[in-house]
């Protein structure tokens, strides 16, 4: 009979410490070839041509958007998005408190006031919570599809339309996730995807911005793509055309080698996604049999499975560290309790914005950091994150993770 002694109690770990976990992104000869080809072709592209144009065209077309702008990071693409909408000091933007902070931090460089909004049981902001935060100063809503689980875009879009607010999406966890069959990033006025090393489509570093609005696109271009690209693309008769040479004075061009990697990954993505879906299916099958686990609601959506998230029921939250510790001892080293992605209203930058941005903020008018955010807090304290993989050969490690999870969770149950 198999010995079920936990590794923490001296048993045999499911995965030996010598076992090599797959790295993300998985680099192989196909990627090497496109990078080398790009290296000999061009390592700096001034306008919308070559690999930049190729990737932007494909990405925009897939999302049925007119304009795409690659950037050197997702964070800068988010900053560009806020600048492109002409947001002003004093304007309010309703944003999730539960998100990676880079969704919200660029608002501060615009002098805009982030108005934090609580999370629902899936970790996402919801139409009902958004409505509570709308004031006369509200100009926009930004949503993040957390961990690749999609926000209720029908309800959120109706709130935005009803109140005449701009709608932005941070899709950095959710490349090609769908809400009712429609890709995220195509619901609002503009959207951004990070292409950073961990993300489902990556070039190592990078970001991309999409919009249908010509005026927003012109401003986005001026924000970080001055001279050639602006001269090529801003119409002669546009009122901002005269600024084409300098733009706004910042430079955020993406690196062609990074884009060549992301471009290959975009091509391979459907195949990778199939394997991520398979991982999620297997996790679901196993985890749904434990009473102390609460499954994420995936109604109406196709998640990206950037990660697979499950929650411990309230009585088990105090055991979370111990459970994850036991899984780590079994060699499941990529099981994680997300730390830096958490409630933003607790961060010093948002509690005391006047220290680093004295030009915009004062102590007399703090952000809404003292409101209650029970949903975000609860979600943050109860989730465990599992990795998903992308290639057929990764079925081996998936099998080991399923075995390790079963071993530890059966013990917790008993
Ligand atoms: C990664 C990420 C960002 C920032 O993107 P970078 O490319 O790392 O600058 C922003 N928002 C979310 C939700 C992210 O996951």
């Amino acid at each position: 009979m198999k010995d079920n002694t936990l590794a923490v109690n001296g048993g045999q770990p499911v995965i030996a410490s010598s076992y090599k976990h797959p790295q993300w992104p998985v680099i192989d000869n196909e990627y090497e070839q496109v990078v080398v080809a790009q290296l000999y072709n061009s390592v700096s592209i001034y306008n919308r041509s070559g690999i930049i144009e190729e990737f932007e065209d494909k990405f925009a077309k897939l999302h049925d958007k007119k304009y795409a702008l690659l950037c050197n990071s997702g964070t800068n693409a988010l900053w560009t998005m806020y600048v492109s909408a002409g947001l002003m000091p004093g304007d309010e933007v309703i944003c999730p408190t539960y998100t990676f902070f880079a969704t919200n931090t660029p608002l501060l460089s615009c002098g805009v006031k982030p108005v934090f909004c609580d999370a629902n049981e899936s970790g996402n902001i919801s139409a009902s919570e958004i409505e509570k935060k709308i004031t006369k100063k509200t100009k926009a809503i930004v949503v993040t599809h957390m961990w690749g689980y999609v926000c209720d875009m029908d309800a959120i879009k109706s709130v935005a339309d009803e109140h005449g607010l701009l709608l932005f999406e941070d899709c950095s966890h959710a490349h090609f996730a769908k809400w009712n069959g429609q890709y995220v990033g195509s619901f609002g006025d503009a959207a951004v995807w990070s292409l950073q090393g961990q993300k489902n489509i990556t070039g190592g570093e990078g970001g991309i911005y999409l919009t249908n609005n010509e005026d927003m696109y012109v401003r986005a271009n001026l924000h970080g793509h001055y001279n050639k690209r602006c001269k090529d693309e801003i119409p002669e008769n546009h009122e901002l055309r005269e600024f084409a040479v300098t733009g706004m004075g910042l430079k955020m061009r993406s690196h062609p080698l990074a884009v060549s990697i992301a471009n290959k990954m975009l091509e391979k993505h459907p195949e990778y996604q199939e394997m991520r879906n398979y991982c999620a299916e297997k996790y679901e099958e196993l985890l749904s049999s434990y009473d102390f686990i609460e499954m994420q609601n995936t109604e109406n959506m196709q998640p990206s499975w950037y990660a697979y998230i499950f929650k411990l029921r309230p009585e088990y939250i105090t055991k979370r560290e111990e459970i994850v510790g036991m899984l780590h001892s079994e060699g499941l080293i990529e099981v994680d309790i997300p730390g830096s992605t958490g409630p933003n209203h607790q961060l010093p930058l948002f509690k005391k914005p006047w220290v680093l941005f004295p030009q915009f903020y004062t102590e007399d008018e703090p952000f809404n950091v003292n409101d209650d955010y029970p949903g975000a807090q609860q979600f943050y304290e109860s989730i465990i994150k599992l990795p998903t993989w992308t290639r057929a050969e990764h079925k081996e490690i998936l099998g080991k993770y399923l075995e390790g999870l079963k071993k530890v969770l059966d013990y917790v149950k008993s």
Side-chain angles (χ1 to χ4, degrees):
M1 222 189 90
K2 198 157 177 173
D3 180 13
N4 270 336
T5 311
L6 293 179
V8 279
N9 297 332
Q12 186 79 11
V14 173
I15 304 176
S17 58
S18 58
Y19 187 87
K20 215 168 165 290
H21 273 66
Q23 297 282 314
W24 178 256
V26 184
I27 295 302
D28 61 17
N29 189 256
E30 279 193 85
Y31 288 96
E32 191 177 324
Q33 278 176 14
V34 294
V35 171
V36 171
Q38 186 59 44
L39 185 61
Y40 283 99
N41 183 315
S42 172
V43 290
S44 176
I45 298 177
Y46 300 144
N47 60 0
R48 211 176 90 80
S49 65
I51 193 73
I52 305 289
E53 182 179 24
E54 189 180 329
F55 186 84
E56 286 182 352
D57 280 352
K58 279 194 233 166
F59 208 81
K61 189 156 179 236
L62 283 164
H63 294 90
D64 199 22
K65 293 283 171 189
K66 270 196 212 149
Y67 305 104
L69 188 68
L70 276 158
C71 252
N72 54 6
S73 74
T75 307
N76 275 346
L78 282 152
W79 185 17
T80 292
M81 177 166 74
Y82 300 134
V83 169
S84 77
L87 297 174
M88 301 278 286
D91 290 345
E92 295 181 357
V93 174
I94 296 174
C95 62
T97 187
Y98 183 75
T99 182
F100 181 62
F101 56 74
T103 305
N104 299 328
T105 47
L107 289 167
L108 304 196
S109 289
C110 305
V112 167
K113 188 172 181 185
V115 175
F116 296 112
C117 185
D118 200 10
N120 64 16
E121 66 292 338
S122 302
N124 280 328
I125 68 173
S126 62
S128 56
E129 287 301 318
I130 290 167
E131 274 195 305
K132 292 183 196 164
K133 307 280 173 162
I134 295 175
T135 73
K136 278 196 197 113
K137 293 180 178 170
T138 310
K139 288 283 157 51
I141 301 163
V142 58
V143 309
T144 309
H145 307 289
M146 286 307 297
W147 306 113
Y149 298 83
V150 184
C151 299
D152 181 341
M153 293 314 289
D154 295 320
I156 293 172
K157 180 133 180 48
S158 323
V159 171
D161 289 346
E162 192 182 317
H163 294 268
L165 304 175
L166 291 165
L167 178 58
F168 300 133
E169 293 175 77
D170 180 350
C171 308
S172 299
H173 288 183
H175 305 71
F176 298 105
K178 287 178 186 165
W179 178 256
N180 280 330
Q182 186 180 339
Y183 284 137
V184 301
S186 61
F187 289 89
D189 297 280
V192 159
W193 291 252
S194 166
L195 304 172
Q196 185 272 339
Q198 288 189 7
K199 308 298 157 75
N200 281 13
I201 291 179
T202 175
E205 296 289 351
I208 188 164
Y209 160 94
L210 296 188
T211 186
N212 266 341
N213 183 311
E214 185 189 41
D215 213 52
M216 283 173 65
Y217 179 63
V218 166
R219 286 171 191 275
N221 225 331
L222 288 167
H223 188 231
H225 302 263
Y226 53 65
N227 210 9
K228 275 216 169 124
R229 183 162 181 168
C230 285
K231 282 192 204 153
D232 281 0
E233 293 193 73
I234 301 176
E236 289 287 353
N237 60 357
H238 195 280
E239 58 172 357
L240 299 178
R241 167 78 194 186
E242 63 175 316
F243 299 100
V245 173
T246 58
M248 299 185 199
L250 301 171
K251 191 176 163 201
M252 300 181 189
R253 262 182 229 152
S254 53
H255 199 297
L257 295 182
V259 180
S260 72
I261 298 170
N263 192 50
K264 175 51 78 177
M265 199 162 284
L266 186 59
E267 180 193 315
K268 309 284 291 184
H269 180 262
E271 200 180 297
Y272 297 170
Q273 188 64 54
E274 239 177 75
M275 185 60 195
R276 288 192 199 268
N277 296 349
Y278 179 80
C279 293
E281 229 173 82
K282 292 290 164 190
Y283 283 143
E284 185 108 4
E285 238 172 70
L286 174 70
L287 297 173
S288 56
S289 63
Y290 297 94
D291 288 344
F292 57 91
I293 287 177
E294 200 177 324
M295 308 298 281
Q296 281 273 70
N297 179 2
T298 55
E299 225 179 313
N300 301 324
M301 70 178 85
Q302 167 59 58
S304 68
W305 305 120
Y306 173 57
Y308 187 92
I309 299 291
F310 69 94
K311 292 187 290 179
L312 296 176
R313 293 207 184 272
E315 322 83 80
Y316 279 80
I317 287 178
T318 52
K319 295 203 167 150
R320 184 170 66 152
E321 301 269 347
E322 190 192 342
I323 293 171
V324 172
M326 289 190 281
L327 291 165
H328 286 173
S329 298
E330 297 298 338
L332 280 63
I333 53 175
E334 287 182 5
V335 177
D336 186 34
I337 295 176
S340 65
T341 296
N344 282 204
H345 67 276
Q346 295 169 352
L347 296 169
L349 183 64
F350 295 118
K351 282 163 87 171
K352 300 186 271 183
W354 48 84
V355 177
L356 293 180
F357 292 95
Q359 70 272 43
F360 292 131
Y361 306 110
T362 63
E363 251 182 289
D364 311 335
E365 290 183 78
F367 300 161
N368 65 339
V369 293
N370 293 320
D371 289 4
D372 286 332
Y373 300 97
Q377 202 60 36
Q378 165 95 2
F379 190 81
Y380 183 61
E381 286 169 7
S382 63
I383 65 167
I384 295 177
K385 178 179 156 221
L386 303 178
T388 61
W389 294 279
T390 53
R391 302 195 180 207
E393 70 259 28
H394 297 157
K395 283 190 180 167
E396 180 180 286
I397 184 129
L398 174 65
K400 289 176 190 287
Y401 268 63
L402 293 167
E403 188 187 335
L405 281 162
K406 182 163 175 14
K407 184 177 173 186
V408 167
L409 297 175
D410 281 349
Y411 172 83
V412 173
K413 183 172 73 176
S414 65

